[in-house]
């Protein structure tokens, strides 16, 4: 019984290692693909164009003003002397991401998909 348990445990450990290897391979592949996409976006100038479109859409929807007000509130609460830029960025980043309207995200994703389809990456 003990030998059978060791064999089963050994197989389980092997399965866990195999799954970990697959996850690591997938992460590596995803990182490589993201890097290739980013390189194409930069080389073509599309990244700058998309960033400008995103900037304008975020201003139009009031996102920038909301985040600016949130930053002011944080500085008022904590005091100017006790807030570093790094602290402020760490605190506003999750809120900033959450405040981006879904429509803006969908539009940007669609533009990226169209770019990728046109470059056949």
């Amino acid at each position: 019984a003990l030998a059978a348990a060791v064999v089963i445990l050994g197989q389980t450990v092997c399965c866990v290692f195999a799954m970990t290897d697959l996850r690591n391979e997938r992460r590596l592949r995803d990182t490589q693909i993201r890097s290739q996409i980013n390189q194409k976006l930069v080389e073509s100038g599309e990244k700058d164009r998309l960033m400008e479109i995103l900037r304008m859409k975020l201003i139009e929807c009031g996102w920038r003003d909301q985040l600016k007000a949130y930053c002011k509130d944080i500085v008022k609460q904590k005091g100017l002397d006790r807030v570093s830029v790094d602290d402020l960025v760490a605190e506003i980043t999750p809120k900033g991401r959450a405040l981006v309207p879904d429509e803006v995200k969908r539009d940007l994703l669609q533009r990226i998909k169209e770019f990728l389809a046109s470059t056949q990456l």
Side-chain angles (χ1 to χ4, degrees), residues 24-105:
N24 289 339
E25 286 176 28
R26 186 173 293 140
R27 277 191 208 120
L28 178 61
R29 190 183 69 229
D30 289 351
T31 300
Q32 291 169 337
I33 291 170
R34 282 189 183 119
S35 178
Q36 289 174 340
I37 291 170
N38 189 53
Q39 183 178 355
K40 286 284 188 186
L41 287 166
V42 169
E43 287 174 356
S44 68
E46 186 68 8
K47 184 172 183 175
D48 290 337
R49 191 179 80 77
L50 291 172
M51 292 294 284
E52 182 60 23
I53 290 169
L54 177 61
R55 190 180 72 75
M56 293 306 297
K57 286 186 174 283
L58 291 174
I59 291 169
E60 288 170 7
C61 74
W63 177 90
R64 183 179 178 191
D65 293 334
Q66 286 178 307
L67 214 54
K68 190 175 180 179
Y70 184 59
C71 286
K72 286 181 180 181
D73 288 344
I74 292 170
V75 170
K76 282 181 188 175
Q77 289 172 1
K78 295 187 176 189
L80 187 57
D81 316 357
R82 291 185 226 137
V83 178
S84 71
V85 173
D86 291 339
D87 293 340
L88 194 57
V89 168
E91 190 153 344
I92 67 167
T93 297
K95 177 128 180 149
R97 287 184 178 149
L99 288 173
V100 176
D102 289 341
E103 179 57 34
V104 172
K105 293 176 188 177

